[in-house]
């Protein structure tokens, strides 16, 4: 087996991997190697042909491919080494990576720092356990997106979409514009799970029927889907008797959530946060395995790619610094927990030494929507006696829209003074 | 009596909920927009809504069978289907450039349809007269 070394190795060339590799190079890593299993760089964005990317990063409303190609051009200008058609098979805690490469065969790579940027994948049908037959014509929305946008193949003519995630809503519009019929979008929750702009421009604009508190309870058809049975559900998601309705269709698309792709992260021995499905990271996006960093949708699923690039820059910078100076002095480390109406907080670990150097941005999501003024707070202690360290107003919160809170460096002194009682802080959203 | 209506601005991914008091097509009062473009959006929604168009166009002899295309600016909403239909009839020959014009002044909107990326030609592909359609 061939053996390679490099300063920083990045696995995955989506927006996260590209930004991390670019930034690592800019911050002191001489030899940066980027690995991608596909023949083309750019990750999932190549199939996201709609616009809405890059408003923050480039001040322009770009399509997915345009956003990807801008970053590919940046990466090229930075003189990175790129190995495409190379699939990473294994990683261990000493950062030894084994990959299968079209050009080099089986290779072993020993980097001084490693950035994981494998993205996320869609929840498949198996995770849903819909009873009924298993005919052809059931696809995840992302698979349908690839078929329609890259391969030029329409998977069906009459569609039901289960789940109101962004990819599902975007596909509803795409298929409608291509001349297909989208007869229903069903969402089990009482609210849509994607962005509200997509409700407007993908669903309402085209008068596509949206059924909330409704799910698919059966798929019918022998060789090909012939219809689905949908039912309204109660608060416990149990189908309500007497609400069954049969909808004829030839294709069922699933848009029921994304999960971080973390097989390799587990192999490396990094601790996974069950709330995000990604590794526990500190403010520099380092995992708890020395020299291994994580960026983008492997950490938690983002809704805006601009935020992916911003977070990946932090990971790349940390990896570059690790190569130059080794692990930074962490100082006191604080555990950040999800409190009331918060699903998960990233980063989960905050080093006070890093906070002294500059602001640290926390990212989190609400568990349930509040359509009125709320406060997002960083608190010490529990319940009514909790001490509020920081409080920010928001006009509303929705699970589909990530909430951010920037911690000012001045907070570091206050936390240091609080000593042990500040070991563990919570983020909460209250009305 | 002015109507209170809620708009979701689709100009950028923030998707502000904007509350507007309107009388007919006239905007009386507006709140909730995080930037000025929100007001322009609501005014346009009241009179002539516009949306970005993105779709794909076939490519002959390319490494990929399709190239993604976009409108250079939002187009009148009522023309989305007609534009998508017209673009289904278009076929480009590889190599296709990035931001290559596909349809200039599409359906007299004054807006161009351009490619969203480049597509290289397939090696060994030779243009045969009459090939394709
Ligand atoms: C199907 C789908 C559609 C999406 N559509 C949208 C959308 O329309 N709008 C939006 O804002 N967001 C969308 N997202 C979210 C989108 O993933 C993020 O916005 C962003 O692209 C994430 O960037 P990333 O670099 O973390 O991951 P990705 O873009 O997924 O990149 C990960 C890369 O890692 C590579 N990789 C993975 N494992 C290995 C391995 N073992 N060896 C080598 N390479 C590997 C993959 O091939 C891929 O290129 C979508 C996600 C999915 C899954
Ligand atoms: S009002 Fe401004 S910030 Fe809000 S969605 Fe519209 S363009 Fe974006």
């Amino acid at each position: 087996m061939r053996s390679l070394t490099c300063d920083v190795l990045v696995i995955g060339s989506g927006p996260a991997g590209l930004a991390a590799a670019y930034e690592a190079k800019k911050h002191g890593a001489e030899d940066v190697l980027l690995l991608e299993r596909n023949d083309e760089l750019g990750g999932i964005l190549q199939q996201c042909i709609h616009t809405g990317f890059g408003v923050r990063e480039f001040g322009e409303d770009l399509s997915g491919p345009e956003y990807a190609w801008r970053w590919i051009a940046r990466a090229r200008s930075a003189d990175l080494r790129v190995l495409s058609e190379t699939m990473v098979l294994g990683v261990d805690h000493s950062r030894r990576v084994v990959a299968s490469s079209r050009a080099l065969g089986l290779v072993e790579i020993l980097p001084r720092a490693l950035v994981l940027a494998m993205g996320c994948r869609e929840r498949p049908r198996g995770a849903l356990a819909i009873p009924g037959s298993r005919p052809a014509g059931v696809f995840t929305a992302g698979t349908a997106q690839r078929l329609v946008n890259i391969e030029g193949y329409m998977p069906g003519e009459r569609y039901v979409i289960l789940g109101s995630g962004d990819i599902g809503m975007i596909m509803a519009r795409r298929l409608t514009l291509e001349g297909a019929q989208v007869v229903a979008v069903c969402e089990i929750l009482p609210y849509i799970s994607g962005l509200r702009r997509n409700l407007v421009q993908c669903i309402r604009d085209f008068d596509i029927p949206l059924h909330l508190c409704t799910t698919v309870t059966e798929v019918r058809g022998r060789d090909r889907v012939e219809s689905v049975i949908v039912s309204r559900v109660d608060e416990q998601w149990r189908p309500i008797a007497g609400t069954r309705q049969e909808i004829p269709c030839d294709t069922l698309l699933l848009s029921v959530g994304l999960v971080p792709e973390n097989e390799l992260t587990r192999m490396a021995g990094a601790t996974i946060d069950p709330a995000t499905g990604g590794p526990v990271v500190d403010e520099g996006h380092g995992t708890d395995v020395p020299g291994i960093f994580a960026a983008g949708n492997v950490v938690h699923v983002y809704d805006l790619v601009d935020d992916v690039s911003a977070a990946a820059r932090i990971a790349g910078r940390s990896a570059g610094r690790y190569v130059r100076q080794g692990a930074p002095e962490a100082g006191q480390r604080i555990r950040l927990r999800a409190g009331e109406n918060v699903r998960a907080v990233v980063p989960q670990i905050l080093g006070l030494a890093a906070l002294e150097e500059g602001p640290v941005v926390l990212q989190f999501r609400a568990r349930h929507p509040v359509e009125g003024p709320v406060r997002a707070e960083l608190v010490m202690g529990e319940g009514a006696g909790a001490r509020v360290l920081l409080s920010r107003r928001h006009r509303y919160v929705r699970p589909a829209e990530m909430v951010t809170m920037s911690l000012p460096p001045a907070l570091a002194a206050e936390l240091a003074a609080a000593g042990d009682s500040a070991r563990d802080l919570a983020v909460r959203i209250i009305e | 009596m002015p109507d209170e209506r809620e708009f979701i601005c689709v100009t950028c991914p923030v998707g502000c909920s904007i509350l507007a008091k309107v009388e007919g097509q006239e905007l009386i009062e507006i709140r909730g927009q995080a930037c000025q473009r929100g007001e322009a959006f609501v005014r346009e929604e009241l009179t002539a809504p516009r949306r970005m168009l993105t779709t794909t166009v076939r490519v002959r002899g390319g490494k990929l069978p399709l190239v993604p295309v976009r409108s250079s600016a939002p187009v009148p909403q009522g023309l989305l289907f007609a534009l998508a239909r017209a673009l289904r009839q278009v076929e480009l020959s590889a190599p296709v450039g990035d931001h290559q014009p596909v349809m200039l002044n599409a359906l007299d909107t004054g807006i161009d349809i351009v490619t969203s990326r480049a597509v290289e030609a397939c090696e060994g592909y030779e243009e045969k007269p009459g090939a394709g359609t």
Side-chain angles (χ1 to χ4, degrees):
Chain A
M1 190 170 23
R2 249 175 99 164
S3 186
L4 305 175
T5 57
C6 61
D7 286 341
V8 175
L9 178 69
V10 179
I11 306 176
S13 74
L18 288 166
Y22 176 77
E23 207 68 11
K25 177 93 188 186
K26 262 183 38 189
H27 286 82
E30 300 258 302
D31 182 12
V32 178
L33 176 60
L34 182 58
L35 298 188
E36 169 57 51
R37 66 180 167 199
N38 291 329
D39 57 350
E40 196 163 72
L41 307 186
I44 206 79
L45 288 187
Q46 298 287 13
Q47 71 181 54
C48 304
I49 64 164
H50 55 279
T51 55
F53 303 89
V55 176
R56 230 169 291 164
E57 184 72 31
F58 296 105
E60 276 179 71
D61 189 17
L62 302 174
S63 69
E66 288 174 314
Y67 188 91
W69 285 97
R70 293 232 178 155
W71 270 104
I72 294 169
R74 270 188 187 165
R76 292 221 170 107
S77 72
D79 194 23
L80 309 171
R81 270 203 292 164
V82 174
L83 208 47
S84 55
E85 293 181 277
T86 300
M87 167 104 178
V88 174
L89 305 172
V91 181
D92 70 18
H93 66 278
S94 67
R95 299 187 297 275
R96 177 176 175 270
V97 170
V98 175
S100 164
S101 161
R102 186 166 171 144
L104 305 176
L106 206 57
V107 283
E108 169 197 69
I109 306 160
L110 303 162
R112 293 168 67 197
L114 176 63
V115 182
L116 305 170
M118 293 87 67
C120 61
R121 78 180 116 127
E122 294 177 280
R123 228 169 246 145
R125 177 179 174 179
L128 293 176
I130 306 168
S133 51
R134 299 246 146 192
V138 182
F139 300 88
T140 63
T143 301
Q145 190 177 48
R146 195 190 69 240
L147 291 173
V148 175
N149 291 346
I150 306 238
E151 289 166 31
Y153 164 78
M154 284 289 274
E157 284 166 14
R158 212 179 135 84
Y159 296 79
V160 169
I161 300 180
L162 175 59
S164 58
D166 287 312
I167 311 170
M169 291 200 280
I170 282 163
M171 282 313 289
R173 170 179 63 184
R174 179 80 184 110
L175 294 164
T176 306
L177 274 177
E178 282 293 309
Q181 254 188 306
V182 179
V183 289
V185 174
C186 301
E187 169 57 60
I188 199 165
L189 296 169
Y191 48 86
I192 58 154
S193 58
L195 297 175
R196 301 228 313 173
R197 70 190 306 243
N198 288 332
L199 174 64
V200 174
Q201 58 185 2
C202 299
I203 305 292
R204 286 190 191 151
D205 272 4
F206 297 96
D207 297 319
I208 293 169
L210 170 68
H211 307 283
L212 298 175
C213 304
T214 300
T215 191
V216 170
T217 47
E218 193 183 328
V219 180
R220 290 191 175 170
R222 275 194 41 191
D223 301 324
R224 175 83 197 191
V225 174
E226 284 161 17
S227 69
V228 297
I229 308 288
V230 303
S231 305
R232 288 186 56 84
V233 297
D234 63 16
E235 279 109 63
Q236 268 85 51
W237 295 5
R238 286 176 309 217
I240 300 172
T243 62
R244 281 163 64 94
Q245 191 195 338
E246 181 164 8
I247 305 181
C249 61
D250 60 20
T251 311
L252 173 66
L253 296 191
L254 307 175
S255 180
V256 289
L258 301 168
V259 275
E261 177 80 87
N262 275 301
E263 246 86 276
L264 297 176
T265 317
R266 281 196 193 86
M267 281 189 218
T271 305
I272 303 284
D273 178 349
T276 56
V280 168
V281 294
D282 61 23
E283 73 296 321
H285 281 238
T287 69
D288 58 1
V289 182
I292 301 188
F293 302 83
N297 281 351
V298 293
V299 177
H300 62 161
V301 176
Y302 287 83
D303 33 63
L304 292 182
V305 73
D306 303 67
D307 294 336
V308 170
S309 300
R313 279 211 171 94
I314 297 176
R317 226 171 285 156
S318 305
R321 175 144 105 169
Y322 185 87
V323 167
R324 270 192 348 262
Q325 311 170 348
E329 204 54 56
Q332 190 180 333
R333 286 163 84 77
I334 289 170
R335 169 90 210 188
L336 296 167
R337 282 184 301 112
E340 191 179 330
N341 196 18
V342 170
R343 205 160 20 167
V345 185
V346 169
Q348 293 88 343
I349 307 286
L350 172 67
L352 285 192
L355 181 57
E356 267 165 28
E357 276 176 39
V360 171
V361 177
L362 307 186
Q363 301 175 318
F364 45 98
R365 279 178 201 278
R367 274 182 191 280
H368 49 82
V370 184
E371 295 292 339
V374 292
R375 278 167 299 150
E377 297 185 334
L378 179 69
V379 299
M380 198 189 304
E382 303 265 338
R387 182 168 144 210
V388 179
L389 297 167
L390 217 58
S391 178
R392 295 279 180 268
R393 284 170 199 287
H394 292 269
R395 286 196 297 128
Y396 52 79
V397 282
R398 297 174 186 136
E401 299 174 25
M402 194 180 273
V403 186
T404 59
M405 181 192 267
S406 179
L407 308 184
L411 190 65
E414 194 178 340
L415 291 174
D420 268 357
S421 50
R423 274 272 151 82
D424 196 310
L425 302 178
V427 175
R428 66 182 186 189
I429 294 172
I430 54 173
E431 285 169 48
Chain B
M1 260 295 280
D3 267 343
E4 176 106 332
R5 279 178 63 186
E6 191 194 12
F7 292 86
I8 299 164
C9 180
V10 302
T11 311
C12 89
V14 176
C16 293
S17 298
I18 302 179
L19 282 174
K21 277 208 183 97
V22 294
E23 210 164 334
Q25 292 197 341
E26 205 188 331
L27 188 57
I28 315 259
E29 197 190 304
I30 172 170
R31 65 198 155 88
Q33 70 278 27
C35 83
Q36 286 176 353
R37 287 183 297 167
E39 183 174 335
F41 171 79
V42 170
R43 285 189 189 283
E44 220 164 57
E45 284 298 281
L46 290 170
T47 52
R50 284 174 173 265
R51 297 286 184 267
M52 214 52 124
L53 173 70
T54 54
T55 181
T56 51
V57 160
R58 271 176 295 145
V59 177
R60 199 183 332 164
K63 279 197 172 160
L64 299 170
L66 301 174
V67 63
V69 302
R70 59 169 295 174
S71 55
S72 52
V75 297
Q77 198 187 343
L79 289 178
L80 286 175
F81 277 106
L83 283 165
R85 219 175 301 125
L87 287 162
R88 274 205 289 283
Q89 308 309 315
V90 174
E91 191 176 50
L92 303 174
S93 286
V96 174
D98 185 17
H99 283 91
Q100 177 177 320
V102 176
M103 215 181 250
L104 291 172
N105 184 21
L107 302 183
D108 281 328
T109 51
I111 291 159
D112 302 335
I113 308 294
V114 299
T115 59
S116 237
R117 61 165 291 172
V119 175
E120 286 171 47
C122 236
E123 278 160 47
Y125 179 85
E126 264 176 61
E127 183 105 359
K128 290 194 201 81
T133 33

